[in-house]
């Protein structure tokens, strides 16, 4: 939702879209802080960078990229100050730092789990073990079998998990929808005239990246919210691609020129 607001502000560039981003965006960021999930901030940052990368070469993109420099400086200062502050205003900064340090029992268990997934992948790197098989557990940090007997069927890192299930060959087909997703959205963006449609295309690019972040960070392929969001934005990207005009980067309204 936050990235949708940002995409519309980038494309519409009106006072209303900016006010909507600031007001509703503040509420969404507050909700992210209360939810206390650092992965949400990682996904939001990665999605925003992906949208900027998807913008075609144009004066508008140059202005956006240049504006990221002072924003980055302010963000770095905010995180540096927040490191030593206990104020709720700096809660996002502390979450960002915790995502970088990963010094907790949850992070330790993920490292062990990822090592086990890599061992499982090496057993059959081309075609994998197949669907419905547990990963091989050669290391164990904590025993959670009494409360979650089937934990080896649903590891946290869905990327490594898919590699163990399908190997390199199967992973190619399981991962290909993301490639098609981003391709259609980025290509559609270059051929759309309406700011709302272009914002939708940018948001689709961001949604695919957020899904990938969730896949890597925490059971993205086992989480119905993540899967449904990716599927819905895939459908929107396909529709926008189908109705978009000639794909000539730099000619649309987002580039400062005339709509195609």
């Amino acid at each position: 939702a936050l990235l949708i607001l940002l995409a519309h502000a980038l494309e519409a560039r009106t006072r209303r879209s900016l006010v909507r981003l600031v007001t509703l965006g503040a509420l969404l960021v507050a909700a992210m802080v209360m939810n206390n999930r650092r992965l949400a901030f990682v996904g939001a940052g990665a999605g925003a960078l992906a949208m900027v990368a998807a913008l075609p070469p144009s004066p508008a993109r140059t202005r956006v990229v240049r504006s990221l420099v002072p924003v980055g400086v302010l963000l770095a200062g905010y995180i540096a100050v927040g490191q030593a502050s206990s104020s709720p205003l700096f809660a996002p900064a502390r979450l960002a730092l915790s995502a970088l340090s990963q010094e907790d029992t949850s992070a330790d268990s993920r490292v062990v789990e990822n090592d086990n997934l890599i061992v499982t992948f090496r057993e059959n790197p081309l075609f994998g073990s197949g669907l419905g098989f547990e990963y091989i557990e050669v290391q164990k940090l904590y025993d959670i079998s009494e409360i979650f007997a089937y934990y080896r069927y649903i590891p946290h890192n869905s990327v490594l998990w898919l590699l163990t299930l399908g190997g390199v060959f199967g992973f190619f087909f399981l991962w290909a929808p993301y490639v098609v997703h981003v391709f259609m959205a980025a290509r559609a963006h270059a051929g759309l005239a309406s700011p709302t449609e272009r914002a939708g295309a940018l948001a689709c690019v961001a949604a695919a990246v957020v899904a990938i972040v969730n896949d890597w960070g925490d059971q993205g392929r086992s989480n119905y919210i993540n899967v449904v969001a990716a599927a819905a934005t895939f459908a929107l990207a396909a529709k926008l691609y189908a109705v978009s005009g000639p794909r000539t980067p730099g000619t649309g309204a987002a580039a400062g020129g005339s709509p195609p």
Side-chain angles (χ1 to χ4, degrees):
L2 181 63
L3 292 173
I4 289 172
L5 292 172
L6 177 60
H8 192 253
L10 285 173
E11 290 296 338
R13 298 194 297 278
T14 62
R15 179 176 297 179
R16 177 178 295 183
S17 64
L18 182 60
V19 170
R20 187 184 293 117
L21 171 62
V22 172
T23 55
L24 297 182
L27 292 175
L28 291 169
V29 170
M32 290 162 62
V33 171
M34 288 187 288
N35 196 37
N36 197 31
R37 292 288 289 172
R38 55 196 173 199
L39 193 62
F41 290 94
V42 175
L49 291 176
M51 289 195 299
V52 173
L55 292 172
S58 66
R61 177 180 176 176
T62 301
R63 289 193 297 269
V64 171
V65 173
R66 286 177 178 173
S67 67
L68 290 178
V69 176
V71 170
V73 173
L74 291 174
L75 185 61
Y78 172 75
I79 293 176
V81 174
Q83 182 180 8
S85 174
S86 59
S87 171
L89 293 175
F90 293 98
R94 293 191 293 273
L95 278 175
L97 288 171
S98 68
L100 295 175
S101 62
Q102 295 283 295
E103 295 177 354
D104 52 41
T105 56
S106 175
D108 293 339
S109 63
R110 300 291 177 86
V111 171
V112 171
E113 187 180 69
N114 289 345
D115 290 341
N116 289 328
L117 290 170
I118 292 172
V119 170
T120 307
F121 169 71
R122 288 173 178 171
E123 289 291 311
N124 193 343
L126 288 181
F127 299 103
S129 60
L131 299 173
F133 289 90
E134 300 173 311
Y135 65 80
I136 300 171
E137 192 171 41
V138 295
Q139 302 179 60
K140 181 183 290 187
L141 191 60
Y142 306 106
D143 187 359
I144 61 172
S145 56
E146 289 189 6
I147 58 175
F148 189 15
Y150 303 106
Y151 70 94
R152 287 196 290 155
Y153 289 99
I154 313 176
H156 291 85
N157 191 318
S158 292
V159 179
L160 295 179
W161 179 49
L162 293 178
L163 279 168
T164 66
L165 297 180
V168 174
F169 183 79
F171 181 82
F172 172 81
F173 293 100
L174 292 168
W175 203 253
Y178 284 143
V179 179
V180 178
H181 186 154
V182 174
F183 171 80
M184 290 190 301
R187 291 279 285 173
H189 178 270
L192 292 167
S194 165
T196 301
E197 291 177 337
R198 291 197 307 274
L202 279 185
C204 288
V205 172
V209 173
V210 170
I212 291 171
V213 169
N214 287 328
D215 285 353
W216 180 264
D218 196 3
Q219 298 180 338
R221 285 297 178 98
S222 304
N223 187 309
Y224 73 92
I225 296 177
N226 193 57
V227 173
V228 169
T233 51
F234 182 97
L236 176 58
K239 179 64 175 179
L240 292 173
Y241 179 76
V243 302
S244 60
R247 285 99 190 175
T248 307
T251 59
S258 302

